[in-house]
Structures are given as structure tokens and as C-alpha cells.
Amino acid sequence: MTYNSCNAAEIQYYPAEKAEQLQAAVIAKGKNYQARTANLLENGQPAYVNQLILQDSPYLIQHAHNPVHWYTWGDKAFAKAKRENKPVFLSIGYSTCHWCHVMEEESFDNPAIAAVLNQYFIAIKVDRERRPDIDAVYMEAVTLLTGRGGWPMSSFLTPEGKTFLGDSYFPPEPFKKLLLRVNEVWQQQNAQVLKRADEVATAVAKSSSTRQKSQSLDLKLLQQTAQQLESVQDRKYGGFGQKMKFPNEPLLIFLLDNYQRFGDVKALAVVETSLLAMAQGGIYDQVGGGFHRYSTDMQWLVPHFEKMLYNQAQLAETYLLAYQLTGKAEYARIARQTIDYVLSDMRSKEGGFYSATDADSNGVEGKFFVWTPAEIKSALPPKLANRAIDLYAVTASGNFEGHTILHLPVSLEEYAEKHAISLPIVLLEVEQIRKLLKQTREQRVPPLRDDKIITAWNAMILESLVLAAEVLQEPAYLQAATQTANWLWQTNRQASGELWRIYWQGSSSVSGNQQDYAYFASALIKLYDQTGDQQWLDKAEQLTNIMTQQFWDKSDYGFFMNSQSATQSMMVRPKELEDNATPSANAVALSVLARLSRRTANLDYPDKAATALASFSAKIKQQPTSYTHMLSAAALLNSTQTGSVQYAAKGAVTVRAKRTEDNQLIVHMQLKPGWHINASNPLQASLIPTKISLSDGQLERVTYPPAMLKKLSFGQQKLALYEDKLNVQVNLPDTLKDKQIINVQVQLQACNDKHCLAPETLSLAVARPVS
């Protein structure tokens, strides 16, 4: 079999040795390999193959049979641009991006347009999920130039890597005209183009800079930010925005944190409006579970059908937290279905989780997910078919191109009440409908799955699995989380201990960026909190220390996205500061440092966190709704942490609290060897007793364990102490039996045989046990 790496006019472009290498790479893909191109030879094989065939990125390989002479990002491409005095055309996207596919098919696979690109430009293709640092820099430039951003990102750069023009998707004819016009301007007005590029580079650098006067940040700013979000929500449909709707999970999680921290019932109401609307809408896969990336309308009805791992992780977390804080079973149902979808459909045999699934099936957007009445009737017994058609509003005309996206016009509770059916019966029927429709749907051509495994995104789902195990009391989820943590640690780390970002088809590649370190360390801390296994905390510290060594900005502070060696040809070395579809990597790093400062005695952690926070404070003050995760991290650092597990004495004392079915509170304390706390009734009046209370009052019946009488090396008197482990049992008042969250105060003073630390009061938020 033979492949053309170029047409007759392009034979010289690839030397013979290179052409043979490209042909061999295609052959090595095997018989089942399907080239994405409309340009085929008479024997059905692709007419073109370019250098992207050698890459280990599904997105780049999708473009390997374009007639465009694509380069990957690197010195080689920019050196060629400088030698030939050509501008660079930079295209950035990802493998499950619908409009990336459209532009690929319309323009990059079009020989006429490719010929213009090849003649006048050096074309570079970047997978944003492999190199989010490159994407961040050039998306900032496009946003500054146009006021908007999106993928595919299309940018024109100087040979020095500076943007002078950019936008997103271009239709084929306007794109071809633009290419010709850019070349004309490059040739005839080069000085003006270079001047504009310098101005854009300066603006990007200024936008990325954190060198501003430090501002004070207090808890009032969290409350004010929550109030601002409450004022701009869509009160009818939930979410933020008046056209298309993104879940905006960082905002929802921030509002839940405010409810837990301050009792802000308005913040909880904002979140609940969004969660209920999304759960009933087409953005939620009513058959298979899990969420699509965003909705194209205000009502959450018509989604963009791709599914991203990071959405599943964050939305599972949001629904789990909402269930924990409210006890509403619907949130647990959606969280469980989302987690189960990820475990069944997005988990690799090796143990990691795939990145995403596409919006398209057989080239048609949403085809895999939509239904007609006839298809419902064919898949279900008559009674269930009638129920499904009525429940999910399936009609002959449909709500999406002649088909119906399944959704719930009313909640299941409202439906049951309206039809005089018990809710358990409705839930049972829904599960039967889902199971049978899923079996039918599995016979369809599925959407393309991006099967690369990204360290940071896997860390996100790992953390959600740990939370699911805790909230839903499901050991299988904790087992899955532990397996993923072990797999990532063993597979996606280099011999030096540094992380890889990507695992694909049996091998790891792309050095981890700061996001990978921060997210993985965060997940390992969560795993430590749940299991008490010291290895996870040790591993989190290892990653945090490497992150600090590689990415810390010694001049302006905070963390860069990439290492110094990865900044080649980029306008600036970027920092991820603002939350976007995911919390910013710097915010997650701050949270990690704050949590480690409570769990270890390493003073470098709180110092680094405070320094970074001061550096970012001016930006946070200017636009706090863009920095909600960083605000929560600031509260962790400067105030108190939330949750039912807390640490004292720099991690020497662990305090866990749980409630039982019979309205008791159990407070378990574990002390590291060599440490003790004073008993509830010390023998000396000057000593601080260990005391359990409610934040809003005293408890009447608290049963403390018997104290140990012991004489320590620094004194002659016997002391009444607690060492090792102890449980304090509290009979809660009947008035608290139905309260979803109670706030417990634990007062203690920890000492070893050399000195005593300052007294501490821990605040624990303890939820009712799940039914």
C-alpha cells in the first residue's frame, strides 16, 4: 500500500526519508484505522498524510490527513517562519469540539484552502487539552482583540509568536479571503503588523501580571460576592446568562460553601434553582446519566451534546454537596447516576478515565441521544412506552430537528402528584425506562470518544469519587478512587517524580503543568481525609513541593502554568488565575497549601499561600466573581475550614464527627504518638479543657472517656490527659433531630512532653446520616 504525503506540486515538501516515515506511521495504525478525510485515492486510502500522524494526540491525528502541512508547536516551526519570513497560522482546538470538526471538514480538508495556507503561512496545530498553557496565552490575545473567545481558535502570529489577528471559527470562503488578505497586509504593511503584534503582546503581558498593590481580603468579601451572584442569576430557569447556559460549577460550589459557612439561604436557593433545572433539562442525559457540556438555550433544554470528564466531576460534587446540605433525595439520585455513568462509560481498563465524548454520531450532532415516539414504542413495553412519552414530552414534531431530547417538563415529584401515583412507583418506572432505552441506544453508532487520559481531570473525578463514598456511604466509590490514585501515581509519573499530563494508547507524554500538580495534590488530600492513610498525605506533599520548585514565580509570586522550558516561542509565561470551566490552578494550589498548613508542621505552606494571595488580592478585589475558588481558599487559609473532619496542632490531632440514626453525635479524636490533649476536667484550673459544644449553645449530655493520669518530663504534678484515640459521645437535643447540618465546636489544647501549643477551637459541620 502506498500513501501520498503530498500532491504533485508538494513532492519536495517532505524529503523521501520523512515521507517514508509518515507512510509507515499510517500503516502502523492497523487495518481498523479510519482516516478522517474526504480526499481519498481510488483504492480508498487517504490522499494526504502530514506530520501530525506522528503525534500521540487524538485531536492532532484527526488532522493528519489534511492537505495542510501542519506543524506542532515548537522551535522548528517558528524557525522556519523566521527563515522564510512568513506569518504563523495557529489553530487550537480539541478532539470533541463540534465547530473544530466543522472547520476541519470545510477548510483544512479543502485542497484549495490548504494550498493558500501552505504557500503563505507556517501552519501550527495545538491540542488545547495537552497544552492548556499555549491555549491560555493565545485565547487571552483573541479575547483582547475581539471581546470573545471559543474553539476552534484561529490566530495569526509573527515568527516571534506574537498575535496580530485572531478569532474563532471561519466559514470556508471568508477564511480563504482572510488568508489572502493577511498575506497581502503582511507583505505590504509589515511594519504596522509588527507594531500591532507588539501592542497585543504588551496587553497580554499586562493582563497576566500580578504585580499590583496588595489589598485586604476578609470574609465580608465572600458574602458580598455571593450577593452579587444572587442578583444576576436567572430566577426562572437558574444559572447565569440570558442565552446559552453553562453549568458554571465553580460559582455553584462557592455559593454552597457560603451557605455552609454563613448560613446564606439565598445562596442555597440560587444553587437549588440551577440544580433542579439542569436535572430536568436536556443538558442532563436522562437515559445514560451524566451531563452535556452546556445548553444552547436558557431553559437547559437543547445541549451541545459533548460530555467532558471535568463537567461530570464538578457536577457530581455539586449535587453531592447539595444533598449533604439539604437531604433532598433527587440530588443523590443525579449524583449517583453521574458517577455510575463515568465508571461504566468513561473508565479505561488500565484504571484512568477518558477525557470526553463527542457531540456527533455518524457526523450528525446529537443523533445518539434523541428519540421519536416510534423509537420509544419499539424499545419499551406499551405501558412503559406511554409513560416515557408522557413523562419526557416526546412528540412527533420533536424539539430538536424532528426528534425529541428527553427532558422533564415537571419534576418527578410534581408528576407523581399530578397523576396520583406514589413517588416510589414513578422512580421505579423511570429506572426501568432508563435501563431499556439505554440497551436500545447502545445499538446505535456511539459518539467518538477521546480516550486520552489527563492527569488533572482524573484527579477531579478522583476527588468526587471520594466525596461520593463519604456522602452516599458507598465503599465501591472509595475503592474506585483508591485504584485511580494508585494508577495515576504509578503510571503518570516520571522517574524523577515529576508528573506526565497525558496517557494515551499505552504510553505517557507531555510534562505535567501546574494544574496537574495542584489538582492531583488536592485529590490526594481528600483521600487522606477520608481514609486516614498517611501515604496519601505524603504523596500530596511530594507533588506540592515539586509544584513549588517548578512553577513558583520568585518575582511576582503565585504559580506559572508551565515550566520555564515549556515557554518556548510564547508571548508570555502564563498564570491561570481566573476560574473558568474549572477552578483556576492557582486557586486550587492555594487551597492545597492552606489545607496542608493544617495537616503538617511545614511553615512554608502557609507562607507561600499568604504570599500568593497577597499578590492576587488586587485582581480578586476588582472582579471577585471571577475568583470564587480563590476566595474560598483565602477563607480556608485565614479563617476556618468546613466539613466533618478537621485538624489541630499542625496535623498532630485529627478530629472526625458523625451523627447516628438515634440522634447521637460521635466525636472521634486521634493523636499522633508523643502528643496529648487535656482531659475534659483537668486537675489544674489553669489548663484548657477538651470541650464539645454547639456553635449556638451548650450541650447538656456529653460523655467524655476516662482520663489518663500521667506525669510528664516538664513537671512534677500529675496531669489528666487524653492520648492516642478517644471517642466523645453526645446525646443531641430532639430539636436537632431533623436539622440537616449542625455546627459543632471542639475546644482543645495539644502538647507534647516539651511544650504546649496555643489552644484551638475547631468548627465542624456535621450532616445527618443518609437514609
Side-chain angles (χ1 to χ4, degrees):
M1 125 183 8
T2 59
Y3 293 89
N4 291 343
S5 59
C6 38
N7 61 31
E10 300 171 323
I11 289 176
Q12 272 191 309
Y13 191 80
Y14 293 122
E17 184 178 345
K18 186 71 169 183
E20 290 176 7
Q21 183 188 16
L22 301 181
Q23 292 175 19
V26 177
I27 295 170
K29 296 290 182 185
K31 295 180 180 179
N32 296 326
Y33 173 68
Q34 294 183 338
R36 287 172 61 107
T37 181
N39 299 303
L40 300 174
L41 301 174
E42 290 182 2
N43 62 3
Q45 301 301 332
Y48 305 94
V49 54
N50 61 58
Q51 297 177 93
L52 298 186
I53 194 66
L54 304 174
Q55 298 303 306
D56 56 355
S57 158
Y59 175 65
L60 297 184
I61 290 175
Q62 286 173 6
H63 295 77
H65 300 287
N66 297 159
V68 178
H69 297 316
W70 289 114
Y71 283 79
T72 57
W73 184 276
D75 291 339
K76 184 176 179 181
F78 285 96
K80 184 174 178 63
K82 290 173 184 175
R83 283 197 310 272
E84 299 180 6
N85 190 31
K86 289 181 178 179
V88 169
F89 172 71
L90 173 64
S91 176
I92 301 179
Y94 57 100
S95 70
T96 57
C97 164
H98 172 72
W99 287 103
C100 298
H101 299 333
V102 173
M103 193 163 179
E104 173 203 348
E105 293 166 5
E106 291 178 341
S107 295
F108 302 142
D109 207 38
N110 182 322
I113 295 177
V116 177
L117 264 174
N118 294 337
Q119 182 174 358
Y120 299 123
F121 299 89
I122 301 301
I124 295 178
K125 180 60 83 167
V126 169
D127 180 342
R128 71 172 296 263
E129 293 172 354
R130 285 166 53 93
R131 291 298 304 270
D133 52 332
I134 298 172
D135 179 66
V137 170
Y138 291 94
M139 182 62 77
E140 178 66 18
V142 168
T143 303
L144 289 171
L145 286 168
T146 67
R148 60 184 181 272
W151 298 278
M153 187 205 308
S154 305
S155 299
F156 295 89
L157 320 179
T158 68
E160 288 72 34
K162 299 177 182 180
T163 304
F164 61 86
L165 184 67
D167 211 322
S168 182
Y169 163 79
F170 290 103
E173 282 307 310
F175 182 54
K176 184 177 181 182
K177 290 178 181 178
L178 177 65
L179 292 174
L180 293 169
R181 177 59 180 159
V182 169
N183 173 63
E184 180 182 334
V185 172
W186 178 260
Q187 299 297 333
Q188 298 177 5
Q189 303 175 42
N190 190 259
Q192 292 94 317
V193 171
L194 296 179
K195 182 175 182 292
R196 178 180 176 83
D198 286 340
E199 292 170 349
V200 172
T202 299
V204 171
K206 183 178 180 181
S207 175
S208 302
S209 173
T210 56
R211 184 176 291 182
Q212 299 181 57
K213 186 177 180 180
S214 176
Q215 303 278 322
S216 62
L217 303 174
D218 55 28
L219 292 178
K220 286 184 180 179
L221 184 57
L222 276 77
Q223 295 171 293
Q224 292 166 357
T225 305
Q227 291 167 4
Q228 186 176 347
L229 291 172
E230 292 158 13
S231 70
V232 297
Q233 70 149 332
D234 181 340
R235 296 181 184 275
K236 185 174 182 179
Y237 299 112
F240 306 94
Q242 297 303 314
K243 292 183 179 179
M244 62 178 60
K245 291 273 184 68
F246 288 83
N248 281 310
E249 301 96 329
L251 299 183
L252 299 179
I253 292 171
F254 170 77
L255 290 170
L256 289 175
D257 182 65
N258 268 258
Y259 171 69
Q260 189 169 347
R261 193 178 293 279
F262 306 114
D264 185 348
V265 293
K266 289 184 179 179
L268 178 62
V270 171
V271 175
E272 289 204 74
T273 302
S274 293
L275 295 188
L276 291 171
M278 285 191 289
Q280 291 175 213
I283 192 173
Y284 183 67
D285 183 352
Q286 303 289 340
V287 172
F291 289 84
H292 301 295
R293 192 165 77 91
Y294 67 90
S295 174
T296 62
D297 62 287
M298 293 174 59
Q299 296 91 344
W300 305 102
L301 175 60
V302 181
H304 189 49
F305 290 92
E306 63 188 317
K307 287 182 174 180
M308 314 300 294
L309 181 62
Y310 60 75
N311 284 128
Q312 316 315 315
Q314 292 182 103
L315 283 166
E317 178 185 357
T318 309
Y319 280 89
L320 287 165
L321 291 173
Y323 175 54
Q324 191 175 49
L325 294 171
T326 67
K328 295 180 180 178
E330 179 67 0
Y331 300 145
R333 184 178 77 91
I334 298 299
R336 189 182 293 275
Q337 288 178 3
T338 300
I339 291 288
D340 289 345
Y341 157 71
V342 172
L343 288 172
S344 65
D345 288 27
M346 298 190 77
R347 195 180 192 189
S348 71
K349 293 179 180 178
E350 295 96 332
F353 292 89
Y354 301 128
S355 300
T357 57
D358 210 323
D360 301 354
S361 291
N362 251 3
V364 179
E365 184 177 11
K367 184 177 182 180
F368 182 77
F369 298 100
V370 296
W371 299 85
T372 64
E375 289 171 334
I376 296 288
K377 291 176 181 178
S378 176
L380 300 174
K383 181 182 177 181
L384 285 180
N386 291 334
R387 176 72 71 209
I389 289 171
D390 186 43
L391 182 67
Y392 294 115
V394 183
T395 63
S397 57
N399 55 28
F400 181 74
E401 299 178 358
H403 293 73
T404 297
I405 302 166
L406 301 190
H407 68 290
L408 296 168
V410 297
S411 70
L412 294 178
E413 291 85 350
E414 292 171 305
Y415 186 90
E417 183 178 352
K418 179 181 177 181
H419 292 80
I421 313 169
S422 72
L423 181 59
I425 293 297
V426 171
L427 289 170
L428 178 62
E429 290 182 341
V430 165
E431 285 308 302
Q432 292 172 335
I433 290 168
R434 291 181 67 244
K435 180 180 179 181
L436 292 172
L437 290 184
K438 187 175 182 182
Q439 289 175 357
T440 298
R441 200 171 75 174
E442 286 172 349
Q443 306 307 311
R444 300 175 178 177
V445 176
L448 172 74
R449 184 174 64 198
D450 184 338
D451 57 357
K452 72 176 179 295
I453 294 169
I454 300 175
T455 296
W457 297 6
N458 271 251
M460 295 176 75
I461 195 65
L462 193 168
E463 193 157 351
S464 296
L465 284 166
V466 177
L467 181 63
E470 174 191 345
V471 173
L472 302 177
Q473 297 184 3
E474 180 55 73
Y477 294 152
L478 184 59
Q479 182 182 10
T482 303
Q483 289 173 347
T484 300
N486 280 320
W487 182 83
L488 282 174
W489 189 261
Q490 294 164 7
T491 306
N492 256 23
R493 280 196 321 136
Q494 305 174 43
S496 63
E498 297 172 9
L499 291 176
W500 292 113
R501 178 167 174 82
I502 302 295
Y503 178 89
W504 187 62
Q505 294 189 347
S507 62
S508 300
S509 65
V510 186
S511 292
N513 62 46
Q514 188 249 327
Q515 182 190 69
D516 299 301
Y517 287 88
Y519 276 83
F520 196 6
S522 178
L524 292 174
I525 294 171
K526 183 70 175 178
L527 194 53
Y528 168 70
D529 289 349
Q530 181 66 16
T531 64
D533 189 339
Q534 184 67 32
Q535 67 157 319
W536 303 123
L537 186 63
D538 293 343
K539 288 177 167 61
E541 284 201 81
Q542 288 182 46
L543 293 180
T544 303
N545 295 339
I546 295 173
M547 178 177 69
T548 301
Q549 293 164 10
Q550 282 205 1
F551 306 107
W552 181 253
D553 181 351
K554 296 178 182 178
S555 175
D556 290 345
Y557 312 120
F559 294 94
F560 290 113
M561 288 184 71
N562 55 14
S563 63
Q564 185 65 52
S565 62
T567 315
Q568 55 187 6
S569 302
M570 294 169 62
M571 287 187 285
V572 298
R573 190 179 177 191
K575 294 177 184 174
E576 188 177 59
L577 302 178
E578 296 184 22
D579 298 330
N580 205 300
T582 59
S584 82
N586 262 285
V588 177
L590 284 183
S591 174
V592 165
L593 292 169
R595 289 150 69 196
L596 287 176
S597 72
R598 303 294 178 97
R599 290 155 177 80
T600 74
N602 189 332
L603 296 179
D604 189 49
Y605 297 143
D607 288 348
K608 278 281 191 300
T611 301
L613 189 61
S615 176
F616 304 148
S617 60
K619 285 182 174 289
I620 297 172
K621 268 289 189 68
Q622 290 166 7
Q623 189 63 42
T625 56
S626 297
Y627 298 89
T628 54
H629 201 80
M630 207 169 282
L631 282 171
S632 295
L636 290 180
L637 180 67
N638 297 325
S639 180
T640 181
Q641 305 198 37
T642 56
S644 61
V645 180
Q646 299 292 344
Y647 297 87
K650 300 296 183 182
V653 181
T654 304
V655 181
R656 301 174 185 270
K658 68 176 182 178
R659 293 162 67 182
T660 64
E661 295 285 355
D662 57 354
N663 202 33
Q664 288 192 339
L665 171 72
I666 307 297
V667 179
H668 174 75
M669 304 186 202
Q670 183 161 352
L671 288 74
K672 289 186 177 180
W675 287 87
H676 69 265
I677 57 177
N678 299 319
S680 59
N681 289 302
L683 298 179
Q684 293 78 22
S686 60
L687 298 180
I688 302 296
T690 295
K691 182 180 178 181
I692 310 297
S693 62
L694 295 179
S695 60
D696 54 359
Q698 301 292 320
L699 289 165
E700 295 179 1
R701 289 179 293 173
V702 183
T703 304
Y704 295 94
M708 171 189 301
L709 299 180
K710 189 173 182 180
K711 191 181 292 186
L712 299 177
S713 61
F714 57 76
Q716 296 302 313
Q717 293 180 311
K718 284 188 176 180
L719 303 174
L721 310 174
Y722 298 133
E723 293 182 329
D724 192 22
K725 299 176 183 178
L726 66 145
N727 286 326
V728 180
Q729 183 175 312
V730 181
N731 294 319
L732 294 171
D734 289 342
T735 53
L736 297 180
K737 187 173 183 179
D738 295 325
K739 190 171 183 181
Q740 188 60 30
I741 296 286
I742 61 171
N743 294 302
V744 178
Q745 304 284 324
V746 179
Q747 172 188 279
L748 57 84
Q749 184 175 28
C751 308
N752 57 25
D753 62 356
K754 294 181 180 178
H755 64 279
C756 288
L757 301 178
E760 298 180 67
T761 299
L762 308 179
S763 296
L764 295 90
V766 190
R768 290 173 55 196
V770 295
S771 58

